[in-house]
Amino acid sequence: MTIQPTPTVSGPVTVVLLFGGRSSEHSISCATAGGVLSAIDRDKYTVIPVGITRDGAFTLQPDNAETFTLNSEAMPEVVDNGTRVRWPDSATSREMTVVDADGSVRILGEVDIVFPILHGPFGEDGTIQGLVELSGLPYVGNGVLASAMGMNKHFTKLALEAAGVAVAPWVTVSALEWQRTPDVWRTRASSLGFPVFVKPARAGSSVGVTKVSSRDELDAAFATAFAEDSTALVEQAMTGREIECGVLSGRDGGETRVSVAGEIVVTGRDFYDFEAKYLDVAAAELICPAPLRDGELWQMQRTAARAFESIGGAGLARVDFFYDGIEFVVNEINTLPGFTPISMFPKCWAASGMSYPELIDELIELGLETVR
């Protein structure tokens, strides 16, 4: 384990904001970058915006929040401008450089911390965290193991069950198993009772998720899930309120902190899918704080902290529940949740007394002091 040293700089802390990426959630990551760029305290931080194209090129992007505004008619994207950002040559250096489109090389400066805001595979799953750890730079958020665990719904459920946290009943199937014995898996999926949800094991923002009401809808649902990942889950549909909360690591050895609750009320759709989350503002109402009695709030916060700790969480997460009035059942742990100013994670912390700029400060400070 390595203790990441706190920078001893006299001026602003230099933050590499890392966004975009190769996943289907590329545009949502860009929108998150726009939110952070618009709110980060420029007196405290110097920002180096590094956008990863859909092809995986690390490029130097404009420090302009408006470039990455979420727009349903023109989703934001990292445009390959020909630049190539180079990481430090070794773990003994913090100097990053950029090769411009004309081949000339510029020094970007000494980096104090990396702030990854990548969603989905190749960013939220431990891969980018491993890359940054190899460089020796401090970074915001969860480490390699927690990121990989949180991204994989199957292994998240195993960890939660082992910690005594309730999860929805499920079965897991690989694309190869489905190809070999589809009838077996149709039967196993049907045994959960309809409706069920078919999901990619490793994807977020409800990408690739299908609500299935009968056996004859399973084949199409599996095709959709396997387009995103080589493994899929079939999960029993849960009834109850959709409750979410934000989680932050404790400071100075303190206990894990959990925000007040937020609630999602979906209207006009079968479930809270990608369009409802990002494109159709009328499809869902986000209520924060959600009405919970004191005992219910305590139960939710206790369960969220236990879930976060069960995967070895660090920095931040959003924990999503179904609540039937008796038990909080964890639907998902999101180790790098949506972070636009209107996303549930910052809204829950704002309702708990921490503003969006203060939340950015807190995450950076946690990243600088985290023991990896």
Side-chain angles (χ1 to χ4, degrees), residues 319-337:
V319 182
D320 304 346
F321 300 94
F322 292 109
Y323 181 53
D324 61 2
I326 299 173
E327 183 177 41
F328 285 91
V329 176
V330 172
N331 178 43
E332 180 182 3
I333 302 175
N334 194 317
T335 57
L336 224 169

Side-chain angles (χ1 to χ4, degrees), residues 24-40:
S24 57
E25 298 174 75
H26 177 101
S27 293
I28 305 307
S29 173
C30 292
T32 297
V36 174
L37 288 172
S38 68
I40 194 167

Side-chain angles (χ1 to χ4, degrees), residues 243-247 257-263 287-292 296-298 300-301 304 318-319 321 344-354:
I243 302 292
E244 300 182 352
C245 63
V247 181
R257 295 167 289 171
V258 183
S259 73
V260 299
E263 183 170 5
I287 302 169
C288 190
L292 291 176
E296 293 173 323
L297 179 61
W298 176 84
M300 181 213 71
Q301 290 174 325
R318 193 192 70 235
V319 182
F321 300 94
M344 186 65 91
F345 180 81
K347 283 173 71 75
C348 284
W349 280 112
S352 303
M354 189 181 298

Side-chain angles (χ1 to χ4, degrees), residues 17 29 63 73 92 161 228 233 304 312 319 321 329:
L17 190 65
S29 173
D63 187 356
E73 296 181 359
T92 63
E161 280 197 324
E228 293 293 328
L233 271 72
V319 182
F321 300 94
V329 176

Side-chain angles (χ1 to χ4, degrees), residues 24-370:
S24 57
E25 298 174 75
H26 177 101
S27 293
I28 305 307
S29 173
C30 292
T32 297
V36 174
L37 288 172
S38 68
I40 194 167
D41 189 335
R42 301 300 178 142
D43 292 329
K44 294 181 180 178
Y45 306 107
T46 299
V47 180
I48 302 175
V50 177
I52 305 175
T53 69
R54 292 185 186 273
D55 293 328
F58 288 72
T59 66
L60 184 64
Q61 291 292 308
D63 187 356
N64 183 355
E66 293 183 2
T67 304
F68 305 106
T69 301
L70 187 62
N71 183 340
S72 60
E73 296 181 359
M75 297 290 279
E77 184 160 342
V78 174
V79 176
D80 192 343
N81 54 21
T83 62
R84 293 295 181 266
V85 172
R86 300 290 183 243
W87 292 90
D89 290 338
S90 74
T92 63
S93 171
R94 293 188 177 217
E95 184 178 88
M96 292 186 73
T97 58
V98 61
V99 181
D100 286 319
D102 62 4
S104 60
V105 179
R106 287 185 290 130
I107 295 174
L108 295 176
E110 297 278 328
V111 173
D112 297 312
I113 189 165
V114 178
F115 194 157
I117 47 174
L118 297 150
H119 304 305
F122 309 110
E124 193 176 347
D125 57 358
T127 50
I128 204 72
Q129 289 76 15
L131 173 65
V132 179
E133 289 215 12
L134 284 171
S135 74
L137 294 171
Y139 60 95
V140 170
N142 290 276
V144 174
L145 178 60
S147 298
M149 288 277 287
M151 190 71 202
N152 191 305
K153 297 177 178 66
H154 174 73
F155 288 102
T156 296
K157 284 176 176 285
L158 292 178
L160 293 177
E161 280 197 324
V165 175
V167 297
W170 85 102
V171 295
T172 303
V173 55
S174 70
L176 184 59
E177 289 171 326
W178 169 253
Q179 184 179 12
R180 286 174 175 169
T181 54
D183 282 338
V184 169
W185 293 102
R186 291 186 191 104
T187 300
R188 290 188 180 180
S190 300
S191 70
L192 293 171
F194 293 103
V196 296
F197 285 93
V198 179
K199 307 177 177 182
R202 293 170 297 182
S205 295
S206 298
V207 173
V209 178
T210 306
K211 186 176 182 179
V212 175
S213 300
S214 64
R215 184 184 175 106
D216 60 7
E217 296 175 359
L218 285 169
D219 288 29
F222 276 121
T224 299
F226 288 136
E228 293 293 328
D229 192 21
S230 59
T231 305
L233 271 72
V234 185
E235 192 174 77
Q236 185 181 92
M238 304 299 292
T239 58
R241 299 165 63 187
E242 294 192 47
I243 302 292
E244 300 182 352
C245 63
V247 181
L248 291 171
S249 294
R251 294 295 297 270
D252 302 320
E255 293 184 353
T256 299
R257 295 167 289 171
V258 183
S259 73
V260 299
E263 183 170 5
I264 298 165
V265 179
V266 180
T267 56
R269 289 183 180 272
D270 284 342
F271 66 99
Y272 194 41
D273 59 8
F274 182 90
E275 285 74 18
K277 288 179 178 179
Y278 302 112
L279 305 180
D280 185 355
V281 295
E285 181 182 4
L286 274 59
I287 302 169
C288 190
L292 291 176
R293 295 188 294 271
D294 288 345
E296 293 173 323
L297 179 61
W298 176 84
Q299 183 185 356
M300 181 213 71
Q301 290 174 325
R302 179 171 174 268
T303 305
R306 184 182 296 172
F308 182 70
E309 292 160 5
S310 74
I311 65 166
L316 76 160
R318 193 192 70 235
V319 182
D320 304 346
F321 300 94
F322 292 109
Y323 181 53
D324 61 2
I326 299 173
E327 183 177 41
F328 285 91
V329 176
V330 172
N331 178 43
E332 180 182 3
I333 302 175
N334 194 317
T335 57
L336 224 169
F339 200 72
T340 68
I342 61 170
S343 298
M344 186 65 91
F345 180 81
K347 283 173 71 75
C348 284
W349 280 112
S352 303
M354 189 181 298
S355 70
Y356 191 64
E358 289 171 340
L359 185 57
I360 293 171
D361 286 347
E362 184 68 14
L363 290 172
I364 291 172
E365 289 170 14
L366 283 170
L368 290 170
E369 71 176 30
T370 295

